[in-house]
Every structure is written in C-alpha cells, then in structure tokens.
C-alpha cells in the first residue's frame, strides 16, 4: 500500500546497530531504534495476518475434490500458490522504500494485497518492477526514493532495521552495506540461503536481464554467481509465467553442490525446476569409471557432434526393391517407390521417428499392392468369363450385351474402402511384416551403437578423421563402464536416434515429467560453474533449450576441467559462435580482503587475463600457515580442525587437500568435509583448512585449483605446508 511516511524524523541507522556496527548509546538513538522496530513490527503483524488468512483460504479450497480436468488444473495452480505462501512466512517482510513523494512500499518474499478483491498492494513481491529500486537506488541515483530500510526478522519478530538515506546526504558504494555485511558475517550452515534482502545492483541487473539468448556471467570467488543464477530463475518464473509450463533446468557441478543450493528455490516458492549435473541428465545411465584427463579432453571436443551425426546417418537403409509376402503371395515394391518413401520418411528426425514414418508408408504400399494385384486378377477372370459367355451366347443366338451383370464388392470381388482400411490395419499388426521391417531398418540402442563406434578404429577413422592414430588408440582402449565424458556422446546418439515409443508425460508437476524425459525442452537453462563444461556438454545444454534462453555463470580462472579453454569465447564458440552476451560480477562479498591478497600471484601463474574481484569486507583475521612433515600431517590436521571448530562454533569448517591426500585425511577427520579443490567448487565455510597448497598447485591446472581452494572461507584461512622430508 502506498503510505505516507515521516521518515523517522530523518534518523539514519535507526536499527539495532548504527551503520558502523556500534550499538546506539544516547537516549535519542535508543528511542529512535525502538520506534523504528515497533513501526516495522506493527507492519509485520499486519502482513503476517493477511498472509495467514490467504493461506487458510487456499487450504480450504484445496481440500475440495477436483471434478474434471479444468478443475484439476485449477487445483494445481492453487497448490503452487499455497506452497509459495507457506514457504514465504519466514522472512515475509525484509525491506521498505520511502519515496521522495512521501509514499511507502514494503518489499517481501511474495506480493500481498489488503483484504478484498480490489485491495491496494500491501506488500510488493521482490521480483516485481516496483521493488527494483530496493536493489538499485543509490544516493547518486535515488530513483525517486528518499530512504531504503532493511528489516531483519526472526520468525514473526522484528529484531532490527538498517536505514540508508538516498536523498543525497551519503555517497555509498555498496547498496545496503550494513545489512549485506551483517549477513555475510553470520555463521555458515552448510546450506545456501536466499539473499533477496541483500542483493546488490550489479547482481540485480543480471537477475532481471532479458532472457532472449545466452547470457554468460563472469564472476570471481564470492561475487554471488550462484545466488544471482538462482534468483534469476525465480525472477524469470515470476515474470514469464509460461516458463512454469516448460520448467527450468539448473545444472550444477556436483551432487554435493546441488544439495548445498537445494533449499534456495523452494524457499523462493519455485517448484517448476529440475536440478541435475551433466552426468545425471540421462536418467538410465550411470557413470561407473574414472578416466584420464587426456581421454576426457579428446571426448569433450566439438568434433564428435558432426561425427556422430554422420555415423547415425550411415546406418539409414538405402533404396532397393523390397519383396514382401502376404497371405502366401509375394508382392514387390519397386526401388523407385521405396526411394520416394525413404525420402519422405527421412524428412522426419530422428532415426526412429523416420523409421516409424517409413513403416507406416510401407504398410500403405503393401496394402495398395495387394489391392492392385487382386484387381488385376479379377480383371483377368472377368475377361476369361466374358470370352466363355460370348461363345455360349453365340451358340444360343443371344446378344451378351442384353444380359445385365450384377455389381458390388461381394459379387465383383473388389475391396471397399472400409475393407482396404481393415487390410492396412492387419498388415500393420502382422508380426511377419514387423520382423521384415526390423531386419531392413533395425531399431538401434544408443549405448550399443556408441560402444561399437568407440571400439572400432576403422569406424573412428571414417567418421572422426580429425583424431590422430594415437588419439584413436586412447579412445578405443577402454569404453565400458561409461565415464563422465561418455555421457554427452551418449546423449548425442540418443538424440539422433530418438525414442522408439515416445512416452506420454505423466505426473502432476511439470518438474517430475521433465526429469523423466530425456528429450524434454526447457523454457530456460541455468548452468553454474559453467567454465567446466566441455564443448560436447554445451551441446547437451543446447539440445535441452533450442531457444537458447540460457544463463551460464562461472569463473574462467577457476576452470579445472580437461579442456584447454582459457576464455569464455573459446569455451562457447563451438555452440554459440559469437551470438552470446557477456556480463560480469566485479565485487567479492564472501572472501575477506586478507585472503584475496593471496590470490594475485596464483592468478598470474594460472594465466588469468581477468581483473580479480574487489573484496569489500575484512574479517580481521590474517591467514596463517603451519609447516609440518608429511608424517605429522594427520595429527596436525586433526588438531587444526578442532581449533577451528572451537573458534567457529555454530558455523562450518572445510578441509581442502590434493587428491592423493584425501583418503589419509578422511581416516582422521570424520566430522568435516574433506574435498579436493574441484569438489569444493561453489561451496563455502566459515573457516577453511588448506592442506599442502604446493601439492594442489602441482596437479593438472593446479594453479586454477589453488585459486579455488584459497577462496572458500568467509572468515579464516589456515594452511598446512608440507616439508620434503619424511
């Protein structure tokens, strides 16, 4: 509702603490704080009561029985509304905008109106255009606003507010710095939470960007790439309602990462979302083998897409004369007729759909051949009968033309249209005809087909001539079980083959239907840690969103995958060409300045061409190092973890180590995650213990990995440096 405000007599920082973090001490400041909190508590009570009434009303409607398909569709819509409201109760209200004209808008998780169908807006949804100044207004560009207020709540209780004047009295760099840094200083829980109350302008610009083509977002550690990507999903689903009918696909780098972010979108009320990794996009295929980086790099190249297309095309039948048997008689379909039917069928893609189209045509052609042969036979019989009849007539002196002949299919032997349709049905259902078609145009299996190609160097030389003999030997040396780089190849083959019998979508929610169907086309795809995708994995993304409504976020300087890309242009050239838009996140909110200072030489050794993000906060804790011998690693790591856990009670501690040290550390560190740099990508902890940074740097693309490892903490970084002596 647009309300008038006295702006608390112009008091800034009228919250629980002053902007510099010092509790107010004067009586006037204390009174202003209490007044501000009381004012927002009254509004929160009002909004919560309205929220609860709406929730109860929806619950009553949902308890009724659905009568027909239209009613069931309405029930689904109501259930989605109910779930969004139910999840929005926690943190329902988090912001307020006071306009220069004296109007007031409160911003929250969902939009609410006053009671009544024509009630005025009570609470503005954070995704609505009216809420955008909450994220983008500054003192330099107030956008019609006099003040922004961040409201902090616990349950249904207001615990503090932070005010920011926007009328020209301050010139802050960060929007909502007090609220943002307070949120960043909170203990990590091991799960990502929403950030709708503390989004910054450059983040909001990307969240609300048009979804008309690929958007590639470069962002260093702690810039909020994942937060931006997930809130962009929520924004797009809110703004473009039809997207919910197609669902949104969120691709992450690992199951651990997906678990970490798993609560964000449900908390924002979004259910039309499928989360997966590239390895899990094929529901019936599992990765069962590790592979060398050399092999992964070879199989990730773009050359496989045209190679597989040519390979599958080579398996299509060639025109020739077909001889089919029906009810004891042979019927010939000429090569010219077969060629015409093949050309028509092959306009259908993929392979199995074309096969089905040809089979249907062949059923018609055979039926026509049967009818034509029967008609020809009847014509011959009739001619012979007429000759006999003429001789009889002549001997009897009768004119045969004076004899009236009976007609009709029961008399003349010709088939009616109904009988011809029945004949086609019988042919289509005939097992012998089906076996003939299967032998001539066989049903193919993607896994068998790909295995045949990868293990046959003759086929590889024919369809992938770009590979050297040495590379072909590497490819054909080991195939099954499938490795991670095989999944995009299998996906490509499966797409080229298509379903034999495409299943009809089942289930109530679109996400469940989309998850079950390999060929589902999504309304939008979000790719996190996108710098890790190979060219063939990008092809997987494009197949699932041919409209190219794609948001990819990542940091090219953190790339550890086997491919050789060092820029976004190299990474996406094979799929998008030059038709993509670049965006950048430049501010590091998570990693303290003390830690980011360590990254400059690491980035130089990683060959970075990017400016590292600007760290805007300090934890006040200098990174520390402890030099130990390899023999003392287990004890030293256990002791260091215990000390970090004591210092960060209620928060989280993570351990990052070289791959060859993980097993040793897991044996003594059972209560904290022990991960490689690659596994830690996208995660964060209050404190990080980094084991043997030189060992990480020595791994393939190790300087990129070390950059990842250094930047996972929000507060404290410790490093155990190993000496060379044992």
């Amino acid at each position: 509702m647009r309300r008038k405000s006295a702006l608390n007599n112009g008091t800034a920082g009228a919250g629980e603490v002053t902007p510099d973090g010092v509790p107010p001490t004067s009586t006037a400041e204390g009174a202003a704080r209490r007044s501000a909190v009381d004012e927002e508590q009254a509004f929160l009570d009002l909004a919560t009561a309205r929220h609860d009434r709406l929730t109860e009303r929806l619950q009553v409607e949902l308890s009724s029985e659905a009568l027909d398909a239209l009613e069931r569709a309405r029930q689904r819509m109501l259930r989605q509304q109910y779930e969004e409201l139910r999840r929005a109760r926690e943190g329902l209200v988090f912001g307020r905008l006071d306009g220069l004209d004296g109007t007031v808008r409160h911003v929250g998780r969902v939009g609410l109106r006053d009671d009544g169908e024509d009630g005025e807006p009570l609470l503005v949804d954070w995704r609505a255009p009216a809420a955008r100044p909450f994220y983008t207004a500054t003192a330099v560009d107030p956008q019609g606003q006099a003040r922004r207020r961040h409201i902090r709540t616990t349950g249904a209780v207001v615990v503090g507010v932070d005010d920011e004047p926007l009328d020209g009295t301050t010139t802050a760099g960060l929007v909502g710095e007090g609220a943002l840094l307070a949120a960043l200083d909170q203990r990590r829980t091991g799960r990502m939470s929403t950030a709708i109350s503390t989004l910054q302008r450059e983040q909001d610009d990307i969240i609300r960007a048009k979804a008309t083509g690929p958007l590639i977002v470069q962002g260093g550690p702690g810039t909020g790439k994942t937060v931006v990507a997930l809130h962009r999903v929520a924004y797009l689903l809110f703004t473009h309602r039809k997207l919910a009918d197609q669902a949104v696909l969120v691709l992450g780098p690992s199951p651990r990462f997906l678990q970490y972010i798993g609560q964000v979108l449900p908390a924002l009320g979004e259910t039309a979302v499928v989360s997966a990794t590239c390895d899990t996009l094929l529901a019936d295929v599992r990765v069962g083998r590790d592979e060398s980086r050399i092999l992964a790099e070879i199989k990730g190249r773009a050359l496989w897409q045209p190679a597989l297309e040519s390979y599958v095309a080579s398996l299509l039948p060639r025109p020739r004369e077909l001889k089919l048997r029906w009810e004891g008689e042979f019927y010939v379909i000429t090569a010219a007729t077969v060629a015409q039917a093949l050309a028509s069928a092959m306009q259908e893609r993929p392979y199995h759909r074309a096969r089905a189209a040809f089979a249907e045509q062949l059923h018609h052609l055979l039926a026509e051949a049967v009818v034509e042969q029967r008609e020809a036979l009847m014509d011959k019989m009739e001619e012979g009968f007429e000759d006999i009849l003429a001789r009889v007539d002549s001997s009897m002196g009768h004119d045969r033309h004076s004899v009236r002949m009976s007609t009709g299919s029961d008399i003349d032997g010709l088939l009616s249209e109904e009988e011809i349709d029945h004949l086609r049905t019988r042919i289509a259902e005939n097992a012998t005809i089906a076996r003939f078609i299967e032998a001539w145009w066989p049903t193919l299996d993607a896994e068998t087909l790909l295995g045949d190609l990868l293990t046959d160097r003759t086929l590889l030389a024919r369809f992938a001539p770009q590979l050297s003999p040495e590379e072909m030997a590497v490819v054909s040396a080991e195939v099954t079980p499938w490795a991670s780089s095989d999944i995009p190849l299998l996906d490509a083959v499966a797409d080229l083959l298509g379903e034999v019998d495409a299943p009809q979508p089942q289930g109530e929610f679109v996400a469940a239907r989309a998850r079950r169907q390999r060929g589902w086309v999504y309304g939008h795809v979000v790719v996190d840690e996108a710098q890790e995708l190979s060219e063939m994995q990008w092809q997987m993304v494009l197949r699932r969103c041919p409209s190219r409504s794609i948001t990819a976020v990542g940091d090219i300087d953190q790339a550890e995958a086997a491919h050789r890309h060092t820029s976004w242009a190299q990474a996406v050239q094979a799929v998008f060409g030059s038709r993509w838009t670049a965006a950048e996140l430049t501010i590091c909110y998570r990693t303290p300045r003390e830690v980011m200072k360590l990254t400059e030489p690491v980035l130089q050794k990683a060959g970075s061409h990017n400016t590292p993000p600007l760290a805007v906060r300090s934890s006040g804790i200098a990174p520390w190092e402890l030099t130990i011998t390899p023999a003392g690693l287990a004890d030293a790591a256990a002791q260091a973890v215990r000390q970090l856990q004591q210092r960060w009670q209620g928060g989280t501690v993570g351990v990052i180590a070289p791959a060859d040290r993980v097993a040793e550390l897991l044996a003594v560190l059972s209560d904290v995650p022990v991960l490689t740099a690659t596994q830690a990508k996208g995660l964060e902890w209050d404190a990080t213990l980094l084991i043997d940074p030189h060992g990480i740097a020595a791994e393939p693309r190790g300087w990129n990995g070390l950059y990842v490892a250094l930047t996972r903490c929000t507060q404290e970084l410790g490093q155990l440096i190993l000496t060379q002596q044992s």
Side-chain angles (χ1 to χ4, degrees):
M1 183 181 297
R2 298 170 61 90
R3 298 177 174 82
K4 297 292 182 178
S5 169
L7 289 180
N8 273 345
N9 299 319
T11 303
E16 188 179 34
V17 294
T18 58
D20 61 359
V22 180
T25 55
S26 70
T27 302
E29 288 173 324
R33 177 181 66 81
R34 289 191 296 272
S35 175
V37 170
D38 289 346
E39 181 182 13
E40 300 309 335
Q41 184 65 62
F43 180 82
L44 178 60
D45 292 343
L46 176 66
T48 300
R50 176 61 179 151
H51 167 277
D52 291 348
R53 287 195 297 274
L54 284 173
T55 305
E56 291 169 5
R57 184 184 304 167
L58 286 171
Q59 198 169 22
V60 170
E61 289 191 62
L62 286 169
S63 64
S64 62
E65 292 291 333
L67 300 179
D68 52 35
L70 183 62
E71 183 66 17
R72 287 195 297 273
R74 182 170 179 273
Q75 288 273 333
R76 286 195 296 271
M77 180 189 70
L78 293 176
R79 186 172 289 108
Q80 290 175 347
Q81 293 177 353
Y82 172 77
E83 287 298 322
E84 183 176 24
L85 279 172
R86 184 181 64 82
R87 292 187 175 103
R89 199 176 194 278
E90 181 70 26
L92 178 64
V93 180
F94 57 77
R96 166 175 154 172
L97 286 168
D98 292 49
L100 290 169
D101 60 358
T103 59
V104 173
R105 290 186 178 90
H106 278 85
V107 181
R109 296 274 295 275
V110 293
L112 296 175
R113 289 185 174 274
D114 285 334
D115 287 321
E117 292 184 2
D118 299 324
E120 292 190 26
L122 177 69
L123 183 65
V124 177
D125 191 298
W126 71 274
R127 297 160 289 193
R132 193 171 191 201
F134 184 78
Y135 303 107
T136 59
T138 65
V140 176
D141 178 23
Q143 299 175 32
Q145 307 305 313
R147 180 181 67 181
R148 170 179 33 244
R149 169 173 286 177
H150 292 268
I151 303 167
R152 302 195 302 279
T153 62
T154 300
V157 178
V158 176
V159 297
V161 299
D162 289 305
D163 283 343
E164 296 173 83
L166 298 170
D167 55 5
T169 60
T170 62
T171 55
L174 280 178
V175 173
E177 182 175 359
L180 172 64
L181 298 186
L184 291 171
D185 281 334
Q186 292 177 352
R187 295 290 189 266
R188 306 295 104 176
T189 64
R191 290 289 185 95
M192 180 176 282
S193 58
T194 65
I196 49 177
S197 63
T198 56
L199 292 171
Q200 301 302 296
R201 178 164 189 159
E202 70 173 9
Q203 296 174 326
D204 189 75
D205 286 344
I206 293 170
I207 288 170
R208 297 173 193 262
K210 292 182 179 179
T212 54
L215 176 65
I216 310 295
V217 182
Q218 162 65 28
T223 53
K225 299 183 293 295
T226 301
V227 164
V228 167
L230 296 178
H231 287 72
R232 178 162 168 77
V233 171
Y235 169 76
L236 291 175
L237 286 169
F238 174 83
T239 307
H240 306 286
R241 296 295 187 181
K242 290 185 178 180
L243 278 183
D245 297 331
Q246 299 173 274
V248 173
L249 174 64
V250 175
L251 281 178
S254 67
R256 181 186 290 270
F257 176 84
L258 295 178
Q259 183 181 21
Y260 172 63
I261 68 171
Q263 298 303 312
V264 176
L265 288 170
L268 294 172
E270 305 302 345
T271 58
V273 179
V274 174
S275 297
T277 68
C278 287
D279 286 354
T280 62
L281 276 177
L282 296 183
D284 299 328
V285 181
R286 294 290 178 268
V287 172
R289 175 174 59 88
D290 293 330
E291 62 188 337
S292 69
R293 291 178 65 84
I294 294 175
L295 182 57
E297 189 277 324
I298 295 171
K299 288 186 177 178
R301 297 177 192 172
L303 67 88
W304 289 100
Q305 186 63 37
L308 294 171
E309 290 173 1
S310 298
Y311 177 42
V312 173
S314 73
L315 302 173
L316 292 168
R318 299 294 182 261
R320 69 174 178 84
E321 180 181 278
L322 299 181
K323 190 174 183 180
L324 297 93
R325 183 169 181 169
W326 177 254
E327 295 185 339
E329 297 289 337
F330 284 100
Y331 300 88
V332 174
I333 312 297
T334 67
T337 302
V338 171
Q340 187 176 7
L342 278 173
S344 175
M346 288 177 185
Q347 293 178 4
E348 296 284 343
R349 295 290 180 90
Y351 175 98
H352 287 129
R353 190 181 301 167
R355 179 186 181 278
F358 177 81
E360 184 176 355
Q361 290 192 58
L362 189 62
H363 298 153
H364 284 269
L365 290 172
L366 178 57
E368 289 176 2
V370 171
V371 171
E372 289 174 1
Q373 187 161 314
R374 179 164 182 166
E375 288 178 348
L377 179 61
M378 294 305 299
D379 286 343
K380 289 182 179 180
M381 291 176 63
E382 184 176 345
E383 289 175 3
F385 177 74
E386 288 182 346
D387 289 343
I388 295 171
L389 185 61
R391 289 194 295 271
V392 172
D393 288 344
S394 177
S395 65
M396 296 178 64
H398 291 165
D399 183 358
R400 68 181 179 88
H401 294 291
S402 66
V403 179
R404 184 177 180 85
M405 301 288 292
S406 298
T407 60
S409 62
D410 55 338
I411 296 175
D412 62 17
L414 300 180
L415 297 178
S416 67
E417 286 299 323
E418 183 179 352
E419 289 169 326
I420 293 174
D421 287 341
H422 181 61
L423 172 62
R424 292 193 190 104
T425 301
R426 290 171 56 214
I427 290 173
E429 295 174 348
N430 184 267
T432 302
I433 299 299
R435 284 193 297 270
F436 177 89
I437 295 173
E438 179 65 29
W440 190 67
W441 191 330
T443 303
L444 299 177
D445 172 71
E447 295 191 56
T448 302
L449 204 61
L450 182 62
D452 291 344
L453 173 65
L454 297 181
T455 54
D456 189 327
R457 296 192 197 182
T458 302
L459 289 177
L460 286 173
R462 177 183 173 189
F463 295 108
Q466 304 94 322
L467 298 178
S468 68
E470 294 77 16
E471 289 172 333
M472 292 181 194
V474 171
V475 168
S476 60
E478 188 176 6
V479 174
T480 56
W482 299 116
S484 180
S485 66
D486 292 313
I487 302 301
L489 305 187
L490 279 170
D491 187 63
V493 175
D495 182 69
L496 291 166
L497 293 180
E499 301 285 349
V500 178
D501 296 306
Q504 294 299 314
Q506 300 294 326
E508 184 174 10
F509 292 106
V510 64
R513 301 199 303 270
R515 190 176 287 108
R516 284 195 296 271
Q517 288 192 287
R518 189 211 59 79
W520 187 273
V521 174
Y522 291 89
H524 192 79
V525 176
V526 167
V527 185
D528 206 328
E529 300 294 345
Q531 74 278 355
E532 303 301 332
L533 268 61
S534 69
E535 291 170 335
M536 285 304 293
Q537 287 173 326
W538 278 114
Q539 292 283 359
M540 292 180 77
V541 174
L542 186 60
R543 275 192 286 276
R544 284 156 179 80
C545 192
S547 69
R548 302 190 176 208
S549 181
I550 297 166
T551 302
V553 301
D555 181 4
I556 202 70
D557 291 329
Q558 295 185 54
E560 295 179 86
H563 60 67
R564 300 166 184 169
H565 307 139
T566 58
S567 70
W568 285 112
Q570 292 174 341
V572 302
Q573 171 71 30
V575 176
F576 301 139
S578 59
R579 298 173 58 189
W580 55 279
T581 303
E584 187 173 7
L585 295 167
T586 62
I587 300 174
C588 173
Y589 306 101
R590 177 188 67 215
T591 310
R593 283 193 292 265
E594 294 87 346
V595 174
M596 285 301 294
K597 288 179 181 178
L598 302 178
T599 64
E600 185 174 350
V602 174
L603 281 174
Q604 290 177 352
K605 292 177 180 178
S608 171
H609 303 290
N610 297 309
T611 301
L614 174 66
V616 297
R617 56 183 287 271
S618 170
S619 67
I621 304 172
W624 54 267
E625 296 180 358
L626 178 63
T627 301
I628 59 172
T629 64
L633 173 60
D635 291 340
Q639 182 178 356
V641 167
R642 284 195 299 269
Q643 292 172 347
L644 290 172
Q645 288 176 323
Q646 290 172 0
R647 285 198 290 274
W648 301 103
Q649 289 185 13
T652 57
V653 175
V655 177
I656 303 177
D660 59 3
R661 297 283 181 185
V662 169
E664 174 187 1
L665 293 165
L666 282 172
V668 294
L669 302 175
S670 59
D671 57 345
V672 293
V674 181
L675 308 172
T676 65
T678 300
Q679 293 168 336
K681 193 163 294 172
L683 306 180
E684 63 179 33
W685 304 283
D686 293 278
T688 300
L689 180 64
L690 178 54
I691 307 292
D692 189 14
H694 299 298
I696 292 176
E699 295 177 332
R701 297 193 79 160
W703 292 109
N704 303 80
L706 184 57
Y707 182 49
V708 172
L710 287 170
T711 54
R712 296 305 96 196
C713 71
T714 64
Q715 304 292 345
E716 181 176 356
L717 172 67
Q719 300 185 68
L720 298 186
I721 312 296
L722 300 189
T723 63
Q724 297 304 310
Q725 65 186 58
S726 58

